Amino acid sequence: YTPTYIGVDDAKTVDVVMGKGAVLTNAGTVMWFGYNNGTRNFTPVEIDALAGATDISLMGGKLNDADKLFAIINGVAYVYSFATDQVEEIYGVANATAIDADDEHVLILTEAGTLFAAGANESGQLGTGNYNSTGYNDAQPVVDINGLPLEGVTQFSAGHKLSMAVVNGAAYSWGTNRNGALGIGVLDDSITREYADIIADYTGTATNVSTNSATLIQDADGSLWGMGWHNNQPTRSITPTKLVASGVTDLYVNNGDVWFVKHEGALKAWGGGLYGQQGHGTAEENNTYSLETHTLTNVKAFEGGPEAAFCPIVEPEIITNIEYVTEYVDREVIVTETVEVPVEKIVIQTEYVEVE
């Protein structure tokens, strides 16, 4: 019920789904831990086939569906199968820089800021301008209401039959309106949208989004906005609603169950907690918007899965402006430096030298 160190010191990013987690290091090494086809790894195991990756994302969902890991290697998008230990290229997209997957589809961002999608499309979650019950194995461009490729994308999120993106500070959504998650002002689960369109009732400047059964929007002023299923609350928000006034610098929502927010330098969470996934030391839910405070600080990145613990990356504490004085016989030499050193790596050494 509390965060536990998993033994990876050079982590760059993480992803977690039900039963499985993955870690990408700064050196491009990809590791996984958890459950896979009857095998349980309690410590991270390297995936050799994905060496050199720059971004990763697990395909989530139910326990036995978490069988794929998406990765970007040298600008090419790949999908790795845990069942076969094989990697296949996702065709139709080049110069890929970032990737995000959910239980049925994946979004891929290119260096030019164009967004592509592949996978299931029965609810229009690919944003290709049409519906397709069988989906697409190759990447297709996400389009806007005019059928033009969605360009200038800076952030994006793949959720449960739902997708979001940020373009020039505007928040876009497409896919299912389940629980009012599209933010179109109508609570009708049967509504779907097959193209990316602006959330008209959000008038702020979006910098980040995260979506699943619910939706979060991070504003440039540090405020947090939400819509859709609000942690099993009796009232669903069908338009963006301000939840936190300021101080938010990052966010993540998983299946509307737990919402994680980086707020004023600390990682906080609220929502479901019966499996200890909030990490606050108990197996209890916290269904209010008064952010539950974690003991973790210096958090760099984080992810979470349904009924599973989230996985944060924590940077070591930094000590700056260290001054030291070295004294010699009959004279004094003062040296002042400004340094940034991880606190656990600071070593103090004293050497005595005879001076004539």
Side-chain angles (χ1 to χ4, degrees), residues 38-54:
T39 300
R40 288 177 172 84
N41 288 322
F42 298 106
T43 57
V45 177
E46 186 172 342
I47 302 176
D48 295 332
L50 296 179
T54 53

Side-chain angles (χ1 to χ4, degrees), residues 49-128:
L50 296 179
T54 53
D55 196 19
I56 60 170
S57 184
L58 282 164
M59 178 162 278
K62 297 181 180 179
L63 185 64
N64 295 326
D65 293 336
D67 188 46
K68 294 180 176 63
L69 176 61
F70 294 86
I72 304 295
I73 305 175
N74 295 323
V76 179
Y78 293 94
V79 56
Y80 168 80
S81 170
F82 285 95
T84 63
D85 192 32
Q86 298 295 315
V87 175
E88 295 183 7
E89 181 178 346
I90 300 176
Y91 295 100
V93 58
N95 300 317
T97 59
I99 196 162
D100 189 40
D102 192 60
D103 52 356
E104 294 180 322
H105 74 292
V106 59
L107 299 177
I108 305 166
L109 184 64
T110 70
E111 186 176 4
T114 305
L115 195 61
F116 287 77
N121 195 38
E122 72 278 9
S123 297
Q125 61 264 46
L126 299 187
T128 56

